[in-house]
């Protein structure tokens, strides 16, 4: 564990540990002249208190205005990949493909007759179209559920993935000649972390102080293990909560699909509707206008695009491009509904980790503290205008890759905040 790492001077083949920018600045700070003992005690008290508050402010937001690409964009890039690339684009393709073949090989045309009989109506009625779209919506949302294990894993291990993204971005920034002081600070940290990890694995002294190790662990949200591995903080996501949220998302999606289908209601017969859809005409009312504007062009693109042209088209794997494009469009809309519902259902998860606004800086601010800050400072931003006296950073004590305990978390936050405010300034001898 981190607390068990030695601080002996390095004498092994790895040589001296890399000097981080933070250490260099600390060395400079120690060279400042000592305050004269003849200064008034009250002045020294004031200066010490201001210095203490300044240190607290640095602990709260030292990187808030960082120009490092890693600090600025790691969260955005991670979120873009997970929520746009995977949970939207890839989700839509998987869901539409699953639904296309489920309708063709599992439901087939007989289910339409049974559905119309169940509703005591014809296949050309508005109620049948609404029900049919609801069934498609249910299949589409269930198809997207296949990505749930990945999404759970990614959200639980967010810190580790963001560290890798940050490292890549900072190295790229320097390679392109666009690095700066903040970039160099991070690169020095990465090098130091690699050095410590390699030394522990080889059973050699790393020569890094406990204080520096603690700073690295807190800043980058990990803990060195006894085998040298850097184990990043995780957030436990309940399978029951996620599946329950997904089930609600499916119901909301089916309701949305039913509304879309019902808005198309007209008096055409089922046979006429089939003939019209084969020509790329999906009706004259409501959602049909959207389908008419998007589906024919999308179907043409699918048959000419470099990758999909080998899969979509007459006598190919997906032989009905218009219907497949129709499913893609419907799922693109339903995914937004599903994501919003899923987020609303899972955002109220209990637990300390779920209550944290993780800026991935030198500590965490709880949502409770964030609300308090915004209430007192409606014109300020938490990531920019942090007041030490009003928002005290707090990091759960159990950090070894295990979620923080839920019991007593609120009390500990309040205790830490109060202790920080009441601690008297210590005057240097």
């Amino acid at each position: 564990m981190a607390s068990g790492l030695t601080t002996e001077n390095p004498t092994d083949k790895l040589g001296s540990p890399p000097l981080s920018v933070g250490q260099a600045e600390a060395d400079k700070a120690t060279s400042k002249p000592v305050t004269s003992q003849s200064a008034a005690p009250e002045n020294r008290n004031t200066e010490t208190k201001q210095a203490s508050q300044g240190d607290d402010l640095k602990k709260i937001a030292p990187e808030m205005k960082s120009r490092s690409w890693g600090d600025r964009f790691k969260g955005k890039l991670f979120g873009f990949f997970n929520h746009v690339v995977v949970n939207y684009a890839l989700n839509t393709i998987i869901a539409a493909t699953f639904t296309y073949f489920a309708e063709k090989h599992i439901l087939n045309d007989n289910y339409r007759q049974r559905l119309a009989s169940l509703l005591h109506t014809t296949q050309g009625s508005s109620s049948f179209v609404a029900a049919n779209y609801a069934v498609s919506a249910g299949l589409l949302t269930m198809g997207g559920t296949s990505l749930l294990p990945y999404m759970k894993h990614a959200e639980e291990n967010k810190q580790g993935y963001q560290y890798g993204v940050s490292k890549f971005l900072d190295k790229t920034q320097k390679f392109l000649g666009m690095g700066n002081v903040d970039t160099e600070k991070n690169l020095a940290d990465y090098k130091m972390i690699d050095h410590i990890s390699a030394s522990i694995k080889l059973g050699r002294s790393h020569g890094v102080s406990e204080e520096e190790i603690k700073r690295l662990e807190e800043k980058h949200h990990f803990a060195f293990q006894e085998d040298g591995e850097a184990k990043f903080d995780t957030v436990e996501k309940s399978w029951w909560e996620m599946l329950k949220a997904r089930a609600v998302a499916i119901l909301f999606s089916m309701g949305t699909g039913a509304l879309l289908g019902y808005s198309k209601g007209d008096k055409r017969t089922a046979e006429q509707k089939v003939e019209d859809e084969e020509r790329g005409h999906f009706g004259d009312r409501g959602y049909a206008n959207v389908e008419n504007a998007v589906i024919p062009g999308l179907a043409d693109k699918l048959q000419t695009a470099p990758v999909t042209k080998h899969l979509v088209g007459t006598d190919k794997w997906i032989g009905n491009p218009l219907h497949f494009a129709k499913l893609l469009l419907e799922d693109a809309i339903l995914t937004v509904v599903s994501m919003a519902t899923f987020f609303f259902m899972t955002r109220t998860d209990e637990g300390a980790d779920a209550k944290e606004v993780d800026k991935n800086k030198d500590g965490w601010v709880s949502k409770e503290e964030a609300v308090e800050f915004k209430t007192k400072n409606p014109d300020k931003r938490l990531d920019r205008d942090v007041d030490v006296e009003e928002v005290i950073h707090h990091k759960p004590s159990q950090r070894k890759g295990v979620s923080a305990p839920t019991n007593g978390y609120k009390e500990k936050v309040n205790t830490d905040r109060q202790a920080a405010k009441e601690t008297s300034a210590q005057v240097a001898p």
Side-chain angles (χ1 to χ4, degrees):
M1 307 300 282
S3 60
L5 302 182
T6 61
T7 58
E8 301 174 5
N9 292 327
T11 57
D12 54 42
K13 297 180 182 179
L14 290 177
S16 301
L19 182 64
S20 71
V21 177
Q23 286 179 308
E25 292 179 349
D27 293 340
K28 291 181 182 178
T30 59
S31 65
K32 293 182 179 179
V34 179
T35 305
S36 174
Q37 293 183 358
S38 61
E42 59 271 17
N43 291 338
R44 284 184 292 170
N45 279 332
T46 302
E47 292 174 359
T48 305
K49 183 177 181 180
Q50 291 176 345
S52 177
Q53 291 181 359
D55 291 339
D56 287 341
L57 181 58
K58 290 179 181 178
K59 291 177 181 178
I60 286 180
E63 307 288 348
M64 287 300 184
K65 296 181 180 180
S66 173
R67 293 173 296 156
S68 152
W69 285 4
D71 290 333
R72 291 171 62 192
F73 303 121
K74 63 186 173 188
K76 293 181 176 63
L77 192 58
F78 176 83
F80 176 83
F81 178 78
N82 279 279
H83 299 296
V84 178
V85 176
V86 176
N87 200 29
Y88 193 82
L90 185 59
N91 183 340
T92 298
I93 295 172
I94 291 175
T97 304
F98 169 81
T99 303
Y100 180 87
F101 287 101
E103 288 181 344
K104 183 177 180 179
H105 298 292
I106 299 177
L107 298 182
N108 58 60
D109 291 335
N110 292 332
Y111 102 92
R112 298 177 184 274
Q113 298 175 2
R114 293 196 297 270
L115 181 60
S117 176
L118 181 65
L119 296 174
H120 302 288
T121 186
T122 64
Q123 295 185 34
S125 67
S126 298
S127 58
F128 173 84
V129 175
N132 191 33
Y133 269 70
V135 172
S136 294
L139 290 173
L140 288 167
T141 314
M142 284 189 287
T145 304
S146 61
L147 292 173
L148 198 59
Y150 165 79
M151 296 303 298
K152 180 178 185 294
H153 171 79
E155 288 300 321
E156 287 182 332
N157 297 275
K158 179 179 179 179
Q159 297 293 359
Y161 285 119
Q162 285 194 158
Y163 177 82
V165 172
S166 180
K167 195 173 184 179
F168 169 78
L169 289 174
D170 284 330
K171 287 185 175 182
T172 302
Q173 186 179 13
K174 183 174 182 179
F175 176 77
L176 295 175
M178 302 174 70
N180 51 58
V181 175
D182 296 322
T183 311
E184 293 299 331
K185 285 182 181 179
N186 284 349
L187 291 174
D189 282 353
Y190 305 144
K191 189 174 182 179
M192 180 73 73
I193 292 169
D194 291 341
H195 165 79
I196 295 172
S197 181
S199 298
I200 297 175
K201 289 178 180 179
L202 294 174
R204 297 171 176 171
S205 172
H206 48 72
V208 181
S209 69
E210 283 291 323
E211 184 178 5
E212 179 67 4
I213 291 174
K214 183 178 180 181
R215 182 191 71 80
L216 292 170
E217 290 183 321
E218 290 184 349
K219 178 179 179 181
H220 298 286
H221 299 290
F222 73 93
F224 284 113
Q225 304 299 294
E226 293 183 356
D227 60 359
E229 291 295 329
K231 190 170 184 178
F232 288 87
D233 296 344
T234 59
V235 177
E236 186 67 25
K237 295 290 184 180
S238 165
W239 267 114
W240 165 245
E241 292 296 330
M242 296 191 75
L243 290 173
K244 182 173 64 175
R246 192 63 180 176
V248 174
I250 291 175
L251 293 177
F252 270 83
S253 295
M254 293 182 70
T256 302
L259 290 175
L260 294 177
Y262 189 80
S263 71
K264 296 176 54 175
D266 54 47
K267 297 182 179 179
R268 294 178 299 163
T269 63
E271 293 76 12
Q272 184 63 48
K273 289 182 178 181
V274 171
E275 292 178 5
D276 287 346
E277 290 195 3
E278 289 177 352
R279 296 185 293 105
H281 179 70
F282 297 87
D284 301 307
R285 294 176 53 192
Y287 179 59
N289 293 321
V290 178
E291 292 180 319
N292 292 334
V294 176
I295 292 175
L298 179 58
D300 290 339
K301 288 291 184 182
L302 291 172
Q303 295 177 84
T304 57
V307 176
T308 57
K309 68 179 182 180
H310 301 292
L311 304 173
V312 181
T314 307
D315 299 328
K316 294 183 180 177
W317 193 49
I318 297 176
N320 191 337
L322 283 170
H323 186 63
F324 186 65
K326 177 182 177 182
L327 294 174
L328 285 173
L329 173 62
E330 186 178 354
D331 190 68
I333 296 172
L334 295 175
T335 299
V336 176
V337 176
S338 177
M339 288 173 62
T341 307
F342 186 80
F343 172 77
F344 178 79
M345 290 293 296
T346 57
R347 72 185 179 90
T348 57
D349 282 354
E350 293 299 323
D353 292 307
K355 296 178 182 177
E356 290 156 6
V357 177
D358 184 6
K359 296 296 182 184
N360 209 24
K361 310 300 178 186
D362 285 345
W364 291 342
V365 174
S366 70
K367 287 186 178 180
E368 181 183 79
E369 292 169 314
V371 170
E372 178 182 348
F373 175 80
K374 292 176 182 178
T375 301
K376 294 181 178 180
N377 305 273
D379 299 327
K380 293 183 179 180
R381 281 175 48 183
L382 182 62
D383 61 349
R384 182 181 61 194
D385 308 308
V386 180
D387 187 338
V388 172
E389 294 302 314
E390 295 175 330
V391 181
I392 302 298
H393 250 218
H394 172 74
K395 181 152 179 68
S397 59
Q398 292 191 354
R399 298 175 43 260
K400 308 301 181 182
V402 180
S403 300
T406 59
N407 295 331
Y409 175 74
K410 180 177 179 181
E411 290 75 9
K412 180 166 179 56
V413 171
N414 293 333
T415 301
D416 289 353
R417 185 193 298 118
Q418 191 63 30
K421 291 181 179 180
E422 295 177 352
T423 300
S424 59
Q426 300 295 323
V427 182

